[in-house]
Amino acid sequence: MHLRPTFAAPFLTTLGLLVGSAAYAQVPISTAVAGDSLSLETTIRSVLDANPSINALQEEVNRAQASLAETRTYLKPVVNGNASYTRIDPVVKLPFDGQVLQFAPNNNYDVHVAAQYTVLDMGRTRANIDLSRSRIASATDQIAVTRRDLAFSAAQSYYGILFAREAIRVQDAQIASLLQHQREMEKRVEGGVSTSFDVTTTKVRIAQAQNTKIDLQNQLQNQEVQLARLLHRPESEVVPVRGRFEYNPQAVDVAAALAAGSENRPEVKLAKDAEQTAIAQQRVVEASNRPSLNVLGQAGAKNGYILPNIERMRFNTVLGAQLNVPIYDGNRNKTQRVGAQSAVKGAQARTQDTQEQVRADVLQAVNNMQASTARYDNSQVQIGQATDALTRAKSRYRYGVGNNLDVLDAETQLAQSRLSRLQAIYNYTIGQYQLRRATGEQIWEAVK
C-alpha cells in the first residue's frame, strides 16, 4: 500500500478497519514506554483469561456432559421404594356362624420396593448416547474457535498499537525535519536569499504532517480502547504493551498449509461434528419406532390377604414383563426420518463448503504475505531513492540551483516510503497470523 501526502489515507483506512468505532482512551497507552508490561504472549493470554464468553461456552460443554450422564442412566435399572395407606369406608361385612366376616380392612397398608429394567430397546439408548457425545464434541470445538478468534483479535490490537507508535515516530521525524527546514528558510529570508512564500509553503507541509500525526494518534488511542475491551478493563485504565515491530519473513509450504487447514481447522471439526450430530439424530429417530422389552419386580408387605386375619402384614412379590411394539403412529416416524435424512445431507454439504472455505482462506493468507513481501522490498528501494533525492534536493537548494518545493516533495516522499515500509511489515505480520488461523494453528501456543 503506497501512502500519499493527503493524511496517509490508505494506512489510516486499514488501521481504522481493525479498531472499528472505538471511543477515546482517557489515559493513552502511548504515554507508557519505559513501563511497558504486556508482551504479545501475555496480551493474548490475558485476553483469553478475561473473556466471559469462554466461560459461557464451557458451561455449554458441562451441560452437554450432564445430558450424556443422564442418558447413560437409561442403561441401568430403576428402583423405587413406596409406602401407601388407604382408609376404606364402608367395607363388605357378612354374618357367618355367629361372627361377622370382613373381606377387606378399613385401614390398608402397602410397603414395597419396585425395580424396572429395560432389557431390550433395539439401540434407542445407545443412539441417544452417541447424540450426546456428538453435542459435547461440538461444544468443545466451539470453544477452540472462540479462543482462536480472540487470540487473533488480541494479536491485531497488539501489533496495531506497535504499528501506530512506529508510524507516529516517522511523522515526528518528518515534522522535525520540516521544522529545521523552516528555520533555514527564515534565515534565508532574513538574508534576502529567499522569499516568504517558501516559508509559507513549508508551514503548509508542516501542518499537513501534523494533521497526519493527529489522525495516527487517534487511531492509536482507538487501538488501545479496543485492547482494553478485549481485556475487559475500563478504557481509562492504562494497558501498556511492549515489543519490537520487526519484519521476519518465513518460507511457506502451501501444500502443507492446505493439508494442515483441512485437518486442524476448528471450523472443519465443527462441520464434521454437525454432520455426526445429524447422523446420530437420524439413528435416534430410526430407533424410536422399534419394540422395547421391560422387566419389573416388586417385593414388600401389605395387609388384607387372608381371612379372618386381614389386618396382618404379609410379605408378597410381583414379577412381570412388558413388551411395547409400535404399530401405527400416523406416519409420524416416517416423516421424522425424512427430516433427519435431509439434515444429514445438509450437514455433509456444509462440511464440503467449509473445506473449500479453508482452502480459500489459506491461499488468501499466502497471497497477502507474498504481496506484503513485495511491497516491503519495493519500499526499501523507495526509501533509498527518497533519501538520495532529499540529499540532492537540499544540496541543489543550498547552492541556489533548486527550489523549495523540490525539498518539500522529497521530505514528504521519504516519510511516505517509511510509512509504506511500516504498512508492509504490519500487513505481513498480520498475514502470518491469518495463515495460522487458516491452518488451525493455536495462536496462543505459537507465540511462546
Side-chain angles (χ1 to χ4, degrees):
M1 182 177 294
H2 182 72
L3 301 177
R4 299 180 179 178
T6 57
F7 312 138
F11 157 69
L12 297 176
T13 301
T14 301
L15 192 56
L17 289 175
L18 294 174
V19 300
S21 56
Y24 179 82
Q26 297 179 3
V27 184
I29 303 173
S30 53
T31 60
V33 177
D36 285 351
S37 61
L38 289 178
S39 64
L40 175 60
E41 178 183 356
T42 54
T43 298
I44 291 177
R45 293 195 176 276
S46 297
V47 168
L48 295 179
D49 292 340
N51 197 280
S53 62
I54 295 179
N55 295 332
L57 291 172
Q58 183 59 53
E59 292 303 322
E60 290 293 330
V61 174
N62 295 340
R63 187 172 67 175
Q65 290 174 339
S67 176
L68 173 61
E70 179 186 0
T71 304
R72 282 175 172 166
T73 62
Y74 289 96
L75 295 174
K76 301 176 182 179
V78 177
V79 180
N80 294 309
N82 294 287
S84 65
Y85 163 76
T86 304
R87 171 73 183 184
I88 302 176
D89 283 305
V91 293
V92 178
K93 296 180 180 180
L94 295 176
F96 180 78
D97 195 20
Q99 297 181 355
V100 177
L101 299 180
Q102 183 175 334
F103 290 92
N106 294 94
N107 298 306
N108 293 268
Y109 302 92
D110 185 3
V111 179
H112 66 268
V113 175
Q116 181 174 343
Y117 178 66
T118 301
V119 178
L120 180 66
D121 65 359
M122 304 297 290
R124 184 184 306 166
T125 302
R126 290 295 178 183
N128 279 287
I129 289 176
D130 291 341
L131 178 60
S132 297
R133 286 174 175 170
S134 180
R135 288 171 175 168
I136 291 174
S138 296
T140 302
D141 288 336
Q142 186 60 55
I143 292 179
V145 171
T146 302
R147 289 175 63 86
R148 190 271 323 269
D149 290 342
L150 285 171
F152 182 75
S153 296
Q156 277 188 316
S157 293
Y158 173 85
Y159 282 111
I161 290 173
L162 297 183
F163 179 25
R165 287 178 181 174
E166 293 297 324
I168 290 172
R169 292 190 182 101
V170 169
Q171 285 302 115
D172 285 338
Q174 182 190 12
I175 292 171
S177 180
L178 289 173
L179 287 172
Q180 177 62 33
H181 184 66
Q182 178 186 340
R183 288 189 289 269
E184 294 177 0
M185 291 298 97
E186 291 172 346
K187 291 180 180 179
R188 293 173 67 90
V189 171
E190 292 176 358
V193 180
S194 298
T195 65
S196 59
F197 176 76
D198 291 337
V199 177
T200 302
T201 305
T202 304
K203 289 181 178 179
V204 170
R205 292 298 179 93
I206 292 174
Q208 290 176 345
Q210 289 173 337
N211 284 337
T212 300
K213 179 181 177 180
I214 291 172
D215 290 338
L216 290 171
Q217 289 172 331
N218 179 58
Q219 298 297 335
L220 173 59
Q221 291 163 354
N222 286 341
Q223 285 282 19
E224 292 164 354
V225 172
Q226 175 71 359
L227 182 57
R229 186 193 68 80
L230 290 172
L231 291 169
H232 291 270
R233 299 181 184 179
E235 288 79 359
S236 59
E237 183 178 338
V238 175
V239 190
V241 299
R242 69 171 181 268
R244 301 182 63 183
F245 195 68
E246 297 178 331
Y247 177 61
N248 296 312
Q250 297 176 352
V252 178
D253 187 338
V254 179
L258 289 171
S262 178
E263 180 68 22
N264 302 324
R265 184 77 172 264
E267 285 90 346
V268 175
K269 295 180 181 180
L270 272 177
K272 291 181 178 179
D273 290 342
E275 187 176 337
Q276 291 301 316
T277 299
I279 293 174
Q281 184 64 53
Q282 183 183 34
R283 291 172 180 169
V284 169
V285 171
E286 292 172 350
S288 65
N289 203 36
R290 295 173 182 171
S292 62
L293 176 63
N294 298 325
V295 295
L296 56 91
Q298 177 179 312
K302 62 180 298 184
N303 62 346
Y305 271 101
I306 301 176
L307 292 174
N309 193 6
I310 59 176
E311 300 292 344
R312 180 181 176 183
M313 299 290 292
R314 295 181 181 274
F315 177 76
N316 66 92
T317 61
V318 176
L319 295 176
Q322 180 182 5
L323 176 65
N324 180 28
V325 181
I327 297 176
Y328 179 70
D329 63 357
N331 289 328
R332 182 185 302 110
N333 187 259
K334 180 179 179 180
T335 303
Q336 291 174 341
R337 292 190 183 199
V338 173
Q341 186 177 10
S342 297
V344 171
K345 292 180 179 179
Q348 292 172 342
R350 284 189 291 272
T351 299
Q352 181 181 356
D353 181 69
T354 303
Q355 292 278 15
E356 294 173 355
Q357 182 62 53
V358 168
R359 177 179 177 84
D361 290 345
V362 171
L363 294 178
Q364 287 174 353
V366 172
N367 290 340
N368 291 339
M369 293 172 63
Q370 292 174 345
S372 298
T373 299
R375 289 181 176 180
Y376 177 85
D377 295 339
N378 187 50
S379 65
Q380 288 286 77
V381 175
Q382 287 180 333
I383 289 174
Q385 293 173 344
T387 302
D388 181 67
L390 178 59
T391 302
R392 293 177 181 274
K394 286 183 176 180
S395 298
R396 287 169 56 83
Y397 185 73
R398 188 176 299 113
Y399 292 108
V401 295
N403 58 60
N404 184 47
L405 288 177
D406 292 338
V407 177
L408 297 178
D409 288 342
E411 287 277 10
T412 301
Q413 186 58 47
L414 178 58
Q416 298 296 316
S417 299
R418 288 172 176 169
L419 287 175
S420 180
R421 179 174 62 182
L422 288 176
Q423 182 74 66
I425 295 174
Y426 176 80
N427 289 345
Y428 184 86
T429 303
I430 297 302
Q432 288 177 315
Y433 285 93
Q434 288 175 336
L435 181 61
R436 289 171 180 172
R437 182 176 65 171
T439 57
E441 183 179 357
Q442 294 180 342
I443 296 177
W444 56 92
E445 295 293 339
V447 299
K448 286 184 177 180

